[in-house]
Amino acid sequence: MSFFNKFNDTDKINLFLGDFLVRNAGYPTRRELAKLLMKDMKENIKGYIRDENSLFQVSQVYLDGVVSSRSSLLKKIKNLYETNRETAEVLNIFSESNKINAVFSTDYDIVLDDINCNKVVKILPTDEEFPIASNGEVKHYKILGDVNRHEKIFVSIQDFRKLKVLDFYKNFFKNIKEDIENYPTLILGLDLNNSDFIDVLEVVLTDVNPKDVIYAVSNSNVLKTKTIERLNELGIKLLPHSEEEFLKELKGYLSLTPLDESELKESYIGKKLFR
C-alpha cells in the first residue's frame, strides 16, 4: 500500500528537498562542495575543520585561511555551479502537478526555477518584499540564497549565524513556518550525516505546530544517536522506504497516475530507526 493513501486526492503538500534535487540534476551537494573547497587547503589549514561534511564549517575555514575576502569565497562557490547540466527526467515531477504548495531548498542551484519558470515563485531571505503566489504557483523558499545573486548567499558559519538572529530575516522564517503549519511536509534527500541540514531544520521547525507530522526519507544508512535525538525533538518521522521507492509513490500521487503494485514493494533502510 502506498504511503500517500493517507492523503486525499486534492491535498497539497510541502517538499523539503535536502540534497535530492541537486543530486538528480548533476550539481554538487553541500558535502561535495565542502570537499571541493578542501582541495585548495593545506593540511595545517584543514586541521581547523571539526566536521568535514559541514559546508558552513569548511567555508569558514576557507574564508579565514585560504582567501582574504568573502567575495572570493562566493565567486568560488558560484564557479562550482557554472557547468551546464542536463535536467533529469525525474525533475519534471515539479512541473506536472498542482498539489505542491511550497518547496524549501538549502542548495544554491537554480534548476527548479529553470524547469518551472512559469510556475515557481522564488522567495529569498534577502527579499525586502516577498513575492506572492497568486495564480497557483509553487512557492520556492531558497533558504540559503541563490547562486545567481552570489553576493547574498549564506555559506559560512558567520553567514548562517546572521541568518538565524538578525531581525531582517524573521519574516522570511515566519512565512515558512506558516506554510509548514498549514500543509503536511515531506523531506527528500535527508542526509543524516550532514550537520548543516539538521541545523537548518532546527531553525525552520523550532516552535512550529504542524498540521501533520513531518515525514522524511533519507539516503543515509548510518544514524548517530545525537542526530536521532535532534530529529525526534523536531517531530520528524523517518519513513521506512528507500528514496527510490518513495519517489515512485510521490510521482504517482502528484500526477494522479496509478502505479503498478509491483512498483510499490517495500524497501526498508532498517526497522524502526527512531521514534
Side-chain angles (χ1 to χ4, degrees):
M1 179 179 293
S2 171
F3 162 79
F4 290 94
N5 286 346
K6 75 189 307 304
F7 298 120
N8 296 321
D9 288 343
T10 57
D11 284 351
K12 285 196 172 188
I13 59 175
N14 298 318
L15 293 175
F16 213 127
L17 294 178
D19 63 10
F20 168 78
L21 192 66
V22 292
R23 279 193 285 108
N24 282 276
Y27 285 97
T29 64
R30 294 184 60 81
R31 290 175 66 182
E32 290 167 344
L33 286 173
K35 288 180 172 59
L36 290 170
L37 288 180
M38 288 178 63
K39 288 183 177 180
D40 292 344
M41 297 182 186
K42 295 180 180 179
E43 289 302 318
N44 63 319
I45 299 296
K46 293 179 184 178
Y48 290 97
I49 301 172
R50 292 183 291 109
D51 182 356
E52 294 185 355
N53 291 328
S54 167
L55 181 61
F56 287 147
Q57 290 189 30
V58 172
S59 296
Q60 191 66 58
V61 173
Y62 186 91
L63 177 62
D64 296 338
V66 178
V67 293
S68 57
S69 69
R70 186 172 182 274
S71 61
S72 297
L73 167 63
L74 300 185
K75 287 178 182 178
K76 175 72 173 180
I77 294 291
K78 187 175 189 301
N79 288 340
L80 295 174
Y81 281 102
E82 287 297 304
T83 305
N84 291 328
R85 311 285 172 171
E86 292 186 7
T87 302
E89 182 180 354
V90 68
L91 300 183
N92 291 329
I93 189 174
F94 296 104
S95 59
E96 295 171 352
S97 178
N98 61 358
K99 293 185 179 180
I100 301 175
N101 170 64
V103 170
F104 315 112
S105 63
T106 58
D107 290 289
Y108 309 112
D109 67 280
I110 59 170
V111 63
L112 179 57
D113 308 311
D114 281 348
I115 64 173
N116 254 331
C117 59
N118 295 322
K119 288 195 64 178
V120 170
V121 173
K122 180 167 56 180
I123 305 173
L124 303 176
T126 51
D127 290 336
E128 294 187 6
E129 294 185 8
F130 298 123
I132 298 175
S134 57
N135 296 308
E137 299 97 339
V138 174
K139 289 177 277 190
H140 183 196
Y141 292 95
K142 305 196 72 167
I143 296 173
L144 300 178
D146 188 330
V147 73
N148 278 349
R149 297 175 61 181
H150 69 276
E151 74 282 359
K152 293 185 177 181
I153 63 176
F154 300 85
V155 181
S156 68
I157 290 176
Q158 289 178 346
D159 292 338
F160 186 53
R161 285 174 180 164
K162 292 177 182 178
L163 185 63
K164 289 193 296 182
V165 303
L166 293 184
D167 286 342
F168 181 83
Y169 305 115
K170 286 185 177 179
N171 280 337
F172 176 77
F173 287 110
K174 178 176 177 288
N175 286 353
I176 290 179
K177 290 179 180 180
E178 287 176 355
D179 275 316
I180 291 176
E181 288 179 339
N182 288 311
Y183 297 92
T185 299
L186 309 178
I187 303 174
L188 297 174
L190 174 59
D191 184 349
L192 295 170
N193 297 306
N194 188 335
S195 60
D196 286 3
F197 191 59
I198 309 299
D199 288 344
V200 172
L201 286 177
E202 285 185 333
V203 173
V204 171
L205 300 179
T206 298
D207 298 326
V208 162
N209 182 21
K211 175 182 178 180
D212 206 339
V213 292
I214 299 165
Y215 297 97
V217 178
S218 175
N219 62 315
S220 306
N221 291 317
V222 179
L223 295 178
K224 297 178 181 178
T225 301
K226 181 62 176 177
T227 301
I228 296 173
E229 292 173 353
R230 294 175 74 185
L231 294 178
N232 279 336
E233 289 171 359
L234 295 173
I236 296 173
K237 182 176 182 180
L238 189 63
L239 296 174
H241 294 62
S242 71
E243 202 172 65
E244 180 181 354
E245 292 300 321
F246 186 77
L247 179 60
K248 290 178 182 178
E249 295 187 20
L250 176 61
K251 289 177 69 175
Y253 176 73
L254 294 181
S255 64
L256 275 181
T257 301
L259 296 180
D260 188 276
E261 283 298 319
S262 64
E263 294 184 312
L264 298 179
K265 62 182 180 179
E266 297 287 344
S267 180
Y268 292 97
I269 58 176
K271 294 183 179 179
K272 222 175 208 180
L273 297 179
F274 61 92
R275 254 199 169 334

